């Protein structure tokens, strides 16, 4: 069973009438974010271009939490559309609108309609690191090997 955390949410005027983000199944990790674009003017994203999609939402996360904005697998698989800065991070002290930066890697223009599910938002605990300056790091079997050093 998953833990729950209360997150205050406010709908902005251009998001009114849209449902609040929701989990689509009982064990889903992400809440679906909806596009708060005008119904009469869908947002068109040409191939190779990107666009900022408003959600019409602001949230107040409790201290010690973040919201991660992640792609929806269906948009990526069917249309080549994904979140450009994935995952996008919403910090606990941010109170502005949540926007989704989508990019169209497909070969056809992609129309984003009002109320369309454009991304998912995962609420996660945050651990802040305390950096400790040292002159030498402990050694490991891997050492400084990176970018393919452990396999193909």
């Amino acid at each position: 069973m998953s833990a729950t955390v209360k997150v205050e949410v406010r709908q902005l005027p251009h998001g009114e009438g849209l449902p609040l983000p929701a989990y689509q199944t009982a064990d889903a990790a992400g809440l679906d974010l909806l596009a708060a674009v005008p119904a009469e003017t869908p947002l068109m994203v040409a191939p190779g271009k990107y666009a900022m999609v408003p959600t019409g939402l602001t949230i107040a996360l409790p201290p010690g939490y973040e919201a991660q904005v992640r792609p929806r697998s269906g948009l990526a698989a069917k249309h080549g559309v994904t979140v450009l800065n994935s995952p996008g991070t919403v910090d606990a002290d941010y109170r502005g609108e949540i926007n989704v930066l989508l990019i169209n890697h497909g070969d056809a223009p992609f129309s984003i309609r009002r109320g369309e599910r454009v991304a998912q938002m995962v609420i996660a605990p945050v651990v802040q690191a305390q950096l400790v300056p040292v002159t030498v790091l402990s050694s490991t079997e891997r050492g400084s090997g990176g970018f393919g050093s452990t396999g193909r």
Side-chain angles (χ1 to χ4, degrees):
M1 182 174 179
S2 299
T4 60
V5 61
K6 291 187 181 188
V7 176
E8 295 176 354
V9 60
R10 180 174 149 252
Q11 269 185 318
L12 300 172
H14 60 281
E16 287 179 6
L18 292 174
L20 290 177
Y23 296 102
Q24 296 301 305
T25 65
D27 291 325
L31 297 142
D32 283 333
L33 294 173
L34 308 179
V37 297
E40 61 279 1
T41 54
L43 181 59
M44 188 65 67
V45 186
K49 300 297 181 184
Y50 57 88
M52 191 75 73
V53 182
T55 66
L57 298 172
T58 60
I59 61 173
L61 292 162
Y65 286 87
E66 68 163 329
Q68 298 172 4
V69 178
R70 301 180 182 179
R72 291 193 62 243
S73 58
L75 287 183
K78 295 175 188 173
H79 306 284
V81 173
T82 190
V83 177
L84 183 58
N85 62 323
S86 180
T89 300
V90 179
D91 294 310
D93 58 353
Y94 177 69
R95 294 297 182 268
E97 181 175 9
I98 295 173
N99 288 282
V100 178
L101 185 56
L102 290 182
I103 186 166
N104 183 354
H105 288 299
D107 54 11
F110 184 74
S111 176
I112 301 166
R113 299 175 303 275
R114 182 173 182 80
E116 185 167 8
R117 295 180 295 161
V118 293
Q120 54 185 330
M121 179 173 66
V122 174
I123 307 299
V126 171
V127 175
Q128 287 189 337
Q130 178 183 1
L131 299 180
V132 179
V134 297
T135 56
V136 178
L137 296 177
S138 61
S139 62
T140 66
E141 185 176 324
R142 180 176 179 174
S144 62
F147 291 103
S149 66
T150 61
R152 192 179 157 142

